[in-house]
Short mmCIF file of all heavy atoms in Angstrom, two decimals:
data_model
loop_
_atom_site.label_atom_id
_atom_site.label_comp_id
_atom_site.label_asym_id
_atom_site.label_seq_id
_atom_site.Cartn_x
_atom_site.Cartn_y
_atom_site.Cartn_z
N GLU A 1201 1.90 39.01 -24.04
CA GLU A 1201 1.08 38.75 -25.23
C GLU A 1201 1.81 37.86 -26.23
O GLU A 1201 1.19 37.08 -26.96
CB GLU A 1201 0.70 40.08 -25.86
CG GLU A 1201 -0.35 39.97 -26.93
CD GLU A 1201 -0.79 41.33 -27.43
OE1 GLU A 1201 -0.59 42.35 -26.73
OE2 GLU A 1201 -1.32 41.37 -28.56
N TYR A 1202 3.12 38.01 -26.24
CA TYR A 1202 3.92 37.27 -27.22
C TYR A 1202 4.72 36.17 -26.52
O TYR A 1202 5.14 36.34 -25.38
CB TYR A 1202 4.88 38.21 -27.94
CG TYR A 1202 4.17 39.32 -28.70
CD1 TYR A 1202 3.96 40.56 -28.11
CD2 TYR A 1202 3.72 39.12 -29.99
CE1 TYR A 1202 3.31 41.58 -28.79
CE2 TYR A 1202 3.07 40.12 -30.69
CZ TYR A 1202 2.87 41.35 -30.08
OH TYR A 1202 2.21 42.35 -30.76
N ARG A 1205 9.71 38.15 -28.21
CA ARG A 1205 9.77 39.45 -28.87
C ARG A 1205 11.19 40.02 -28.78
O ARG A 1205 11.81 39.93 -27.72
CB ARG A 1205 8.76 40.43 -28.27
CG ARG A 1205 8.68 41.73 -29.04
CD ARG A 1205 7.33 42.41 -28.92
NE ARG A 1205 6.97 42.81 -27.57
CZ ARG A 1205 6.11 43.80 -27.33
NH1 ARG A 1205 5.57 44.47 -28.33
NH2 ARG A 1205 5.80 44.12 -26.10
N ARG A 1217 3.84 34.88 -31.90
CA ARG A 1217 2.66 34.47 -31.13
C ARG A 1217 2.50 32.97 -31.30
O ARG A 1217 2.63 32.45 -32.41
CB ARG A 1217 1.39 35.14 -31.67
CG ARG A 1217 1.23 36.58 -31.35
CD ARG A 1217 -0.03 37.12 -32.00
NE ARG A 1217 -0.05 38.57 -32.01
CZ ARG A 1217 -0.56 39.30 -31.03
NH1 ARG A 1217 -1.11 38.72 -29.98
NH2 ARG A 1217 -0.52 40.61 -31.11
N ILE A 1219 -0.26 30.19 -30.66
CA ILE A 1219 -1.69 30.04 -30.36
C ILE A 1219 -2.07 28.57 -30.42
O ILE A 1219 -1.67 27.85 -31.36
CB ILE A 1219 -2.53 30.87 -31.36
CG1 ILE A 1219 -2.20 32.35 -31.16
CG2 ILE A 1219 -4.02 30.64 -31.18
CD1 ILE A 1219 -2.23 33.15 -32.41
N GLU A 1237 -8.70 40.31 -41.33
CA GLU A 1237 -8.68 41.17 -40.15
C GLU A 1237 -7.86 42.43 -40.41
O GLU A 1237 -8.28 43.54 -40.09
CB GLU A 1237 -8.08 40.38 -38.97
CG GLU A 1237 -7.90 41.19 -37.70
CD GLU A 1237 -9.20 41.70 -37.12
OE1 GLU A 1237 -10.23 41.02 -37.29
OE2 GLU A 1237 -9.20 42.78 -36.51
N ARG A 1239 -6.74 43.74 -43.44
CA ARG A 1239 -7.16 44.57 -44.59
C ARG A 1239 -8.50 45.24 -44.31
O ARG A 1239 -8.63 46.45 -44.33
CB ARG A 1239 -7.26 43.73 -45.87
CG ARG A 1239 -5.92 43.41 -46.51
CD ARG A 1239 -6.13 42.73 -47.85
NE ARG A 1239 -6.50 43.66 -48.89
CZ ARG A 1239 -7.55 43.54 -49.69
NH1 ARG A 1239 -8.35 42.52 -49.57
NH2 ARG A 1239 -7.80 44.43 -50.62
N GLU A 1240 -9.49 44.41 -44.08
CA GLU A 1240 -10.85 44.94 -43.93
C GLU A 1240 -11.01 45.71 -42.62
O GLU A 1240 -11.61 46.77 -42.60
CB GLU A 1240 -11.86 43.79 -43.96
CG GLU A 1240 -12.01 43.15 -45.32
CD GLU A 1240 -12.82 44.02 -46.27
OE1 GLU A 1240 -13.74 44.71 -45.79
OE2 GLU A 1240 -12.52 44.01 -47.47
N ARG A 1242 -8.59 46.85 -40.39
CA ARG A 1242 -7.63 47.91 -39.99
C ARG A 1242 -7.18 48.78 -41.14
O ARG A 1242 -6.46 49.74 -40.94
CB ARG A 1242 -6.39 47.28 -39.36
CG ARG A 1242 -6.65 46.15 -38.43
CD ARG A 1242 -7.12 46.64 -37.06
NE ARG A 1242 -7.25 45.48 -36.20
CZ ARG A 1242 -6.20 44.89 -35.62
NH1 ARG A 1242 -5.01 45.36 -35.80
NH2 ARG A 1242 -6.39 43.83 -34.87
N GLY A 1243 -7.51 48.40 -42.35
CA GLY A 1243 -7.09 49.22 -43.49
C GLY A 1243 -5.63 49.03 -43.86
O GLY A 1243 -5.00 49.91 -44.44
N TYR A 1244 -5.05 47.87 -43.52
CA TYR A 1244 -3.67 47.61 -43.93
C TYR A 1244 -3.66 47.25 -45.42
O TYR A 1244 -4.55 46.54 -45.91
CB TYR A 1244 -3.09 46.42 -43.13
CG TYR A 1244 -2.61 46.78 -41.74
CD1 TYR A 1244 -3.46 47.39 -40.82
CD2 TYR A 1244 -1.32 46.51 -41.33
CE1 TYR A 1244 -3.04 47.73 -39.55
CE2 TYR A 1244 -0.88 46.84 -40.05
CZ TYR A 1244 -1.75 47.44 -39.17
OH TYR A 1244 -1.31 47.75 -37.90
N ALA A 1245 -2.64 47.73 -46.11
CA ALA A 1245 -2.52 47.42 -47.55
C ALA A 1245 -1.76 46.11 -47.71
O ALA A 1245 -0.65 45.97 -47.18
CB ALA A 1245 -1.80 48.53 -48.25
N LEU A 1246 -2.35 45.19 -48.42
CA LEU A 1246 -1.66 43.92 -48.67
C LEU A 1246 -0.69 44.13 -49.83
O LEU A 1246 -1.10 44.36 -50.97
CB LEU A 1246 -2.67 42.82 -49.01
CG LEU A 1246 -2.07 41.45 -49.27
CD1 LEU A 1246 -1.40 40.88 -48.02
CD2 LEU A 1246 -3.14 40.47 -49.75
N GLY A 1266 1.52 47.06 -45.69
CA GLY A 1266 2.01 48.41 -45.48
C GLY A 1266 0.94 49.19 -44.75
O GLY A 1266 -0.25 48.95 -44.93
N HIS A 1267 1.38 50.11 -43.92
CA HIS A 1267 0.40 50.91 -43.16
C HIS A 1267 1.04 52.21 -42.69
O HIS A 1267 2.21 52.23 -42.32
CB HIS A 1267 -0.10 50.10 -41.95
CG HIS A 1267 -1.31 50.68 -41.31
ND1 HIS A 1267 -1.27 51.39 -40.14
CD2 HIS A 1267 -2.61 50.68 -41.70
CE1 HIS A 1267 -2.50 51.79 -39.83
NE2 HIS A 1267 -3.32 51.37 -40.76
N ASP A 1268 0.26 53.27 -42.73
CA ASP A 1268 0.74 54.56 -42.22
C ASP A 1268 0.38 54.68 -40.75
O ASP A 1268 -0.77 54.53 -40.37
CB ASP A 1268 0.07 55.72 -42.98
CG ASP A 1268 0.55 55.78 -44.44
OD1 ASP A 1268 1.52 55.09 -44.75
OD2 ASP A 1268 -0.07 56.53 -45.22
N ARG A 1271 2.09 60.06 -39.64
CA ARG A 1271 2.60 60.50 -40.94
C ARG A 1271 3.71 59.59 -41.46
O ARG A 1271 4.30 59.86 -42.50
CB ARG A 1271 3.11 61.93 -40.85
CG ARG A 1271 1.99 62.94 -40.63
CD ARG A 1271 2.53 64.35 -40.60
NE ARG A 1271 1.45 65.30 -40.46
CZ ARG A 1271 0.73 65.79 -41.45
NH1 ARG A 1271 1.00 65.43 -42.68
NH2 ARG A 1271 -0.25 66.65 -41.24
N THR A 1273 5.32 55.98 -42.76
CA THR A 1273 4.96 54.74 -43.45
C THR A 1273 5.68 53.57 -42.79
O THR A 1273 6.89 53.62 -42.57
CB THR A 1273 5.38 54.84 -44.93
OG1 THR A 1273 4.76 55.99 -45.47
CG2 THR A 1273 4.96 53.63 -45.70
N TYR A 1276 4.83 45.85 -42.28
CA TYR A 1276 4.42 44.87 -41.27
C TYR A 1276 4.21 43.55 -41.99
O TYR A 1276 3.56 43.51 -43.04
CB TYR A 1276 3.12 45.36 -40.63
CG TYR A 1276 2.49 44.42 -39.63
CD1 TYR A 1276 3.08 44.20 -38.40
CD2 TYR A 1276 1.28 43.81 -39.91
CE1 TYR A 1276 2.47 43.36 -37.46
CE2 TYR A 1276 0.67 42.97 -38.98
CZ TYR A 1276 1.28 42.76 -37.76
OH TYR A 1276 0.67 41.94 -36.84
N LEU A 1289 2.58 32.63 -35.29
CA LEU A 1289 2.54 33.86 -36.10
C LEU A 1289 3.81 34.65 -35.82
O LEU A 1289 4.05 35.07 -34.68
CB LEU A 1289 1.33 34.72 -35.70
CG LEU A 1289 -0.05 34.07 -35.88
CD1 LEU A 1289 -1.10 34.90 -35.18
CD2 LEU A 1289 -0.39 33.96 -37.35
N GLY A 1293 7.65 44.28 -37.75
CA GLY A 1293 7.14 45.60 -38.13
C GLY A 1293 8.11 46.71 -37.76
O GLY A 1293 8.97 46.53 -36.90
N LYS A 1296 9.30 51.95 -42.53
CA LYS A 1296 9.57 51.32 -43.82
C LYS A 1296 11.06 51.29 -44.19
O LYS A 1296 11.61 50.23 -44.51
CB LYS A 1296 8.79 52.07 -44.91
CG LYS A 1296 8.88 51.43 -46.28
CD LYS A 1296 8.18 52.27 -47.32
CE LYS A 1296 8.41 51.69 -48.71
NZ LYS A 1296 8.02 52.59 -49.78
N ALA B 1526 -6.47 51.06 -48.80
CA ALA B 1526 -5.77 50.78 -47.55
C ALA B 1526 -4.91 51.98 -47.15
O ALA B 1526 -4.46 52.74 -48.00
CB ALA B 1526 -4.91 49.54 -47.71
N VAL B 1527 -4.69 52.08 -45.84
CA VAL B 1527 -3.97 53.24 -45.31
C VAL B 1527 -2.47 53.01 -45.46
O VAL B 1527 -1.79 52.57 -44.53
CB VAL B 1527 -4.32 53.46 -43.83
CG1 VAL B 1527 -3.81 54.81 -43.36
CG2 VAL B 1527 -5.81 53.34 -43.61
N PHE B 1528 -1.96 53.27 -46.61
CA PHE B 1528 -0.54 53.08 -46.87
C PHE B 1528 -0.09 54.11 -47.88
O PHE B 1528 -0.65 54.22 -48.96
CB PHE B 1528 -0.29 51.65 -47.39
CG PHE B 1528 1.15 51.36 -47.67
CD1 PHE B 1528 2.11 51.46 -46.67
CD2 PHE B 1528 1.56 50.97 -48.93
CE1 PHE B 1528 3.44 51.18 -46.93
CE2 PHE B 1528 2.90 50.68 -49.19
CZ PHE B 1528 3.83 50.79 -48.19
N GLU B 1529 0.92 54.87 -47.50
CA GLU B 1529 1.45 55.95 -48.35
C GLU B 1529 0.30 56.84 -48.85
O GLU B 1529 0.16 57.10 -50.03
CB GLU B 1529 2.26 55.35 -49.49
CG GLU B 1529 3.45 54.56 -48.96
CD GLU B 1529 4.37 54.01 -50.04
OE1 GLU B 1529 3.84 53.61 -51.10
OE2 GLU B 1529 5.59 53.99 -49.81
N ALA B 1530 -0.48 57.28 -47.87
CA ALA B 1530 -1.68 58.05 -48.20
C ALA B 1530 -1.36 59.35 -48.93
O ALA B 1530 -2.04 59.70 -49.90
CB ALA B 1530 -2.46 58.35 -46.93
N ASP B 1553 -6.04 64.93 -44.77
CA ASP B 1553 -4.87 64.06 -44.65
C ASP B 1553 -5.16 62.64 -45.11
O ASP B 1553 -4.25 61.88 -45.44
CB ASP B 1553 -4.39 64.01 -43.20
CG ASP B 1553 -3.61 65.26 -42.84
OD1 ASP B 1553 -3.23 66.00 -43.77
OD2 ASP B 1553 -3.39 65.51 -41.64
N ASP B 1577 -4.17 49.68 -52.35
CA ASP B 1577 -4.86 48.41 -52.20
C ASP B 1577 -6.35 48.71 -51.99
O ASP B 1577 -6.73 49.23 -50.94
CB ASP B 1577 -4.26 47.68 -50.99
CG ASP B 1577 -4.91 46.32 -50.76
OD1 ASP B 1577 -5.66 45.85 -51.64
OD2 ASP B 1577 -4.67 45.73 -49.68
N GLU B 1578 -7.14 48.41 -52.99
CA GLU B 1578 -8.57 48.75 -52.92
C GLU B 1578 -9.30 47.81 -51.96
O GLU B 1578 -9.32 46.60 -52.16
CB GLU B 1578 -9.20 48.67 -54.32
CG GLU B 1578 -10.64 49.10 -54.32
CD GLU B 1578 -11.30 48.94 -55.68
OE1 GLU B 1578 -10.63 49.14 -56.70
OE2 GLU B 1578 -12.50 48.60 -55.71
N LEU B 1667 -18.58 47.96 -42.23
CA LEU B 1667 -17.87 46.81 -42.78
C LEU B 1667 -18.83 45.74 -43.28
O LEU B 1667 -18.53 45.00 -44.19
CB LEU B 1667 -16.96 46.19 -41.71
CG LEU B 1667 -15.66 46.94 -41.46
CD1 LEU B 1667 -14.91 46.30 -40.32
CD2 LEU B 1667 -14.81 46.96 -42.71
N ARG B 1669 -19.85 43.04 -42.04
CA ARG B 1669 -19.34 41.68 -41.90
C ARG B 1669 -20.47 40.77 -41.48
O ARG B 1669 -21.27 41.12 -40.62
CB ARG B 1669 -18.26 41.64 -40.83
CG ARG B 1669 -16.93 42.09 -41.33
CD ARG B 1669 -15.93 41.85 -40.23
NE ARG B 1669 -14.59 42.17 -40.68
CZ ARG B 1669 -13.55 42.16 -39.87
NH1 ARG B 1669 -13.70 41.87 -38.61
NH2 ARG B 1669 -12.36 42.45 -40.34
N PHE B 1675 -11.94 34.50 -32.48
CA PHE B 1675 -10.56 34.36 -32.05
C PHE B 1675 -10.05 35.73 -31.62
O PHE B 1675 -9.61 36.53 -32.47
CB PHE B 1675 -9.68 33.80 -33.18
CG PHE B 1675 -10.27 32.57 -33.82
CD1 PHE B 1675 -10.60 32.56 -35.16
CD2 PHE B 1675 -10.50 31.42 -33.07
CE1 PHE B 1675 -11.15 31.44 -35.75
CE2 PHE B 1675 -11.05 30.29 -33.64
CZ PHE B 1675 -11.38 30.29 -34.99
N TRP B 1677 -7.40 36.82 -30.39
CA TRP B 1677 -6.02 37.19 -30.74
C TRP B 1677 -5.93 37.89 -32.10
O TRP B 1677 -5.01 38.67 -32.35
CB TRP B 1677 -5.09 35.97 -30.71
CG TRP B 1677 -5.51 34.81 -31.58
CD1 TRP B 1677 -6.26 33.75 -31.20
CD2 TRP B 1677 -5.20 34.62 -32.96
NE1 TRP B 1677 -6.44 32.89 -32.26
CE2 TRP B 1677 -5.80 33.40 -33.35
CE3 TRP B 1677 -4.49 35.33 -33.90
CZ2 TRP B 1677 -5.71 32.90 -34.65
CZ3 TRP B 1677 -4.38 34.83 -35.19
CH2 TRP B 1677 -5.00 33.63 -35.56
N LEU B 1678 -6.93 37.62 -32.96
CA LEU B 1678 -6.92 38.30 -34.27
C LEU B 1678 -7.00 39.81 -34.09
O LEU B 1678 -6.38 40.58 -34.82
CB LEU B 1678 -8.12 37.84 -35.12
CG LEU B 1678 -7.97 36.54 -35.90
CD1 LEU B 1678 -9.28 36.18 -36.55
CD2 LEU B 1678 -6.87 36.67 -36.96
N ARG B 1679 -7.78 40.23 -33.10
CA ARG B 1679 -7.96 41.67 -32.85
C ARG B 1679 -6.70 42.31 -32.27
O ARG B 1679 -6.59 43.52 -32.21
CB ARG B 1679 -9.15 41.88 -31.89
CG ARG B 1679 -10.43 42.38 -32.56
CD ARG B 1679 -11.13 41.33 -33.38
NE ARG B 1679 -11.81 40.31 -32.60
CZ ARG B 1679 -12.24 39.16 -33.11
NH1 ARG B 1679 -12.06 38.87 -34.38
NH2 ARG B 1679 -12.85 38.29 -32.34
N ASN B 1680 -5.77 41.47 -31.80
CA ASN B 1680 -4.54 42.03 -31.21
C ASN B 1680 -3.40 42.14 -32.22
O ASN B 1680 -2.32 42.63 -31.88
CB ASN B 1680 -4.08 41.15 -30.04
CG ASN B 1680 -5.07 41.18 -28.90
OD1 ASN B 1680 -5.76 42.18 -28.70
ND2 ASN B 1680 -5.18 40.09 -28.15
N LEU B 1681 -3.63 41.65 -33.42
CA LEU B 1681 -2.57 41.74 -34.43
C LEU B 1681 -2.38 43.20 -34.84
O LEU B 1681 -3.25 44.04 -34.63
CB LEU B 1681 -2.96 40.92 -35.67
CG LEU B 1681 -3.08 39.40 -35.48
CD1 LEU B 1681 -3.54 38.75 -36.79
CD2 LEU B 1681 -1.75 38.80 -35.04
N GLY B 1682 -1.25 43.47 -35.45
CA GLY B 1682 -1.02 44.82 -35.98
C GLY B 1682 0.15 45.52 -35.34
O GLY B 1682 0.73 45.05 -34.34
N LEU B 1683 0.49 46.64 -35.92
CA LEU B 1683 1.67 47.39 -35.51
C LEU B 1683 1.54 48.01 -34.12
O LEU B 1683 2.53 48.13 -33.41
CB LEU B 1683 1.95 48.50 -36.54
CG LEU B 1683 2.55 48.02 -37.86
CD1 LEU B 1683 2.36 49.07 -38.95
CD2 LEU B 1683 4.04 47.72 -37.69
N ASN B 1685 0.24 47.05 -31.26
CA ASN B 1685 0.69 46.20 -30.16
C ASN B 1685 2.15 45.77 -30.33
O ASN B 1685 2.90 45.71 -29.36
CB ASN B 1685 -0.19 44.95 -30.06
CG ASN B 1685 -1.52 45.25 -29.40
OD1 ASN B 1685 -1.72 46.35 -28.88
ND2 ASN B 1685 -2.42 44.29 -29.42
N LEU B 1686 2.50 45.48 -31.56
CA LEU B 1686 3.86 44.97 -31.80
C LEU B 1686 4.91 46.00 -31.41
O LEU B 1686 5.93 45.66 -30.81
CB LEU B 1686 4.01 44.62 -33.30
CG LEU B 1686 5.36 44.07 -33.71
CD1 LEU B 1686 5.58 42.68 -33.11
CD2 LEU B 1686 5.51 43.99 -35.22
N ARG B 1688 4.61 48.54 -29.32
CA ARG B 1688 4.51 49.07 -27.95
C ARG B 1688 5.39 48.21 -27.06
O ARG B 1688 5.00 47.12 -26.65
CB ARG B 1688 3.06 49.05 -27.48
CG ARG B 1688 2.85 49.89 -26.21
CD ARG B 1688 1.47 49.70 -25.61
NE ARG B 1688 0.42 50.19 -26.49
CZ ARG B 1688 -0.65 49.48 -26.83
NH1 ARG B 1688 -0.79 48.25 -26.38
NH2 ARG B 1688 -1.58 49.98 -27.61
#
Side-chain angles (χ1 to χ4, degrees):
Chain A
E1201 191 174 340
Y1202 300 94
R1205 187 152 63 155
R1217 285 177 195 270
I1219 296 145
E1237 176 63 31
R1239 283 187 77 232
E1240 290 285 326
R1242 318 282 185 78
Y1244 280 56
L1246 181 64
H1267 193 257
D1268 291 348
R1271 291 182 177 275
T1273 304
Y1276 176 70
L1289 300 168
K1296 186 184 174 193
Chain B
V1527 192
F1528 180 59
E1529 299 184 323
D1553 282 346
D1577 181 11
E1578 184 183 325
L1667 282 176
R1669 280 186 175 173
F1675 310 119
W1677 56 267
L1678 277 174
R1679 256 73 73 195
N1680 294 330
L1681 295 177
L1683 285 161
N1685 282 352
L1686 181 68
R1688 194 189 295 129

